[in-house]
Amino acid sequence: MSSSQIPGTNVPPISFPGIVSGIDYNSIIQKLTALTLAPTTQINQQIATLNAANLELIKINNLLSSVQASLGALSQPNVYDAVSATSTNTAALVATGIAGGNAVPGVYTIDSVQTATPTSILSNTTAGHSITDLLPATAGIYANQASNTVPIADSYAAITPSNGTGSTGSVTVDGVSVSYDVNTQSLNTILTNIQTAVRAYDPSFTATLNASGAVVLSGSKPITLGSANDQGNLLDVLRLSGAQINNTGPTTGVTGTAGVGGINQAVSFDSTGTNAGFVTPVTSGNFTINGVSISVSASGDNLASVLAKINASNAGVVATYNAQTGAISLTNKSSGAQSIVVGSSSDTSNFLTAVGLTSAAGATTTVGQQSQVVVANPSGGATTYYSNSNTVTTAIPGVSLQLTGNTTTPHRACGHPTHSW
């Protein structure tokens, strides 16, 4: 026996290879094992070689796919037809290439640019009452009294007066704070109180109404309006918050941007006593703009809600109210010399006439204009190109010009294909 182990111990068996016979059995076993495993080792080496070759084939396949994609892109017309364009005056126009536009390479001189404008209609502001007009018989205790002599909250003021968060409001003029109450004091009383208070600072100061019903403040010292501590909205009601102040002297002054009276967009058309300031009360029914019918309710609508209906409709116009001037405007969404058709024989409401938006009611129409691009000809002279929009695609072959501003100063625009070989 060549090995022994003592029971109950972890001592490995002792080997005595070749001691008795002189033969190295361990060496023989290792060599036999190696010979037996030789085919497996060779197969593993072949597998590793094949895996490496497969990885290289994958790389080659990816490269071929990339080449195929590039060749496919080269076959697309937009690669050959792509155009690059530039402008030396982007404040007037921005030039971009049109794919497939057959651009003719070159530098073009733009002599002038005129942008397109939309057609608009501006209402006649006399559709609203003047602040000095007499209130109607339906005005209760103030019936048939001049609007400027009754509490301003019950007058024809176009902007609804407010005292603010307190029981009384306050306004600062020339550094002097003056209290007022829209519910008990008339416009005349408020102006008199302002004039009296400010004269302690400027003895020549006056606060009056002109023939148009607009507030006029004048004096000999610089005029200032408002302070951080003011309460209420009196300066807005008097339309002085956006008015230009003239302090160059010797007489200083400021005039409201419009009369205090007019159409009040915030109250219902049939409001008791004032009818929202309309000279001709609005009636219920429907009216038409550009063939689109819009409904109106004398009791349920006010000017603001009807303008919102117009803007939400498919009439193709934008309707706005200017609180500074009291004017209502309709402006085409599309530019160019296109009409705005107001009214039709099927209308059942007098809204358009009542707000002064018809020609018969004194509205003013400004016809839109086409855009113009004047391009100098290489042989002399120039050619003018027109468009209803501010996008011109006919002036330079393969190039779109987006007009951004007017100019009469010549500048250059360039167009050329983007590819080169």
Side-chain angles (χ1 to χ4, degrees), residues 133-147 149-151 154-156 272-274:
D133 286 351
L134 297 180
L135 292 169
T138 57
I141 61 173
Y142 304 122
N144 301 316
Q145 295 185 43
S147 171
T149 64
V150 306
D154 298 302
S155 72
Y156 283 132
T272 302
T274 63

Side-chain angles (χ1 to χ4, degrees), residues 40-55:
T40 302
T41 301
Q42 184 178 7
I43 291 172
N44 287 337
Q45 291 174 345
Q46 291 174 346
I47 290 174
T49 301
L50 290 172
N51 284 339
N54 186 55
L55 289 175

Side-chain angles (χ1 to χ4, degrees), residues 79-371:
V79 172
Y80 292 96
D81 296 338
V83 176
S84 175
T86 57
S87 167
T88 60
N89 184 1
T90 55
L93 63 84
V94 175
T96 55
I98 302 174
N102 298 320
V104 178
V107 178
Y108 300 81
T109 299
I110 309 297
D111 287 341
S112 65
V113 173
Q114 177 181 287
T115 56
T117 60
T119 295
S120 64
I121 298 177
L122 191 66
S123 70
N124 184 353
T125 55
T126 61
H129 274 290
S130 169
I131 195 65
T132 58
D133 286 351
L134 297 180
L135 292 169
T138 57
I141 61 173
Y142 304 122
N144 301 316
Q145 295 185 43
S147 171
N148 57 312
T149 64
V150 306
I152 194 169
D154 298 302
S155 72
Y156 283 132
I159 298 174
T160 304
S162 168
N163 288 330
T165 57
S167 58
T168 60
S170 64
V171 64
T172 304
V173 179
D174 288 2
V176 180
S177 181
V178 182
S179 297
Y180 62 87
D181 184 359
V182 300
N183 298 308
T184 61
Q185 295 177 331
S186 68
L187 175 61
N188 284 359
T189 299
I190 293 173
L191 292 179
T192 297
N193 291 345
I194 292 174
Q195 178 174 288
T196 300
V198 175
R199 279 187 173 178
Y201 161 76
D202 181 357
S204 64
F205 180 85
T206 59
T208 60
L209 290 174
N210 64 15
S212 299
V215 172
V216 180
L217 307 181
S218 64
S220 59
K221 294 184 178 181
I223 290 178
T224 59
L225 298 174
S227 76
N229 296 322
D230 284 359
Q231 293 292 319
N233 65 341
L234 187 64
L235 290 178
D236 292 333
V237 173
L238 303 184
R239 286 174 166 156
L240 290 173
S241 55
Q244 182 179 9
I245 299 174
N246 174 23
N247 278 331
T248 58
T251 300
T252 59
V254 58
T255 300
T257 54
V260 177
I263 297 171
N264 189 325
Q265 69 163 342
V267 300
S268 64
F269 293 130
D270 65 349
S271 59
T272 302
T274 63
N275 292 314
F278 283 89
V279 172
T280 302
V282 174
T283 59
S284 298
N286 67 278
F287 61 92
T288 308
I289 298 176
N290 286 336
V292 176
S293 180
I294 299 163
S295 64
V296 57
S297 168
S299 59
D301 280 318
N302 56 25
L303 178 61
S305 68
V306 174
L307 296 185
K309 288 181 182 181
I310 296 172
N311 290 331
S313 75
N314 294 321
V317 297
V318 176
T320 59
Y321 171 77
N322 188 324
Q324 293 294 325
T325 64
I328 302 158
S329 65
L330 300 177
T331 304
N332 259 340
K333 291 182 179 180
S334 299
S335 54
Q338 303 180 41
S339 297
I340 299 176
V341 181
V342 292
S344 76
S345 58
S346 63
D347 288 358
T348 57
S349 170
N350 69 343
F351 175 82
L352 293 172
T353 300
V355 297
L357 281 172
T358 64
S359 57
T364 302
T365 299
T366 302
V367 178
Q369 64 180 15
Q370 294 177 300
S371 62

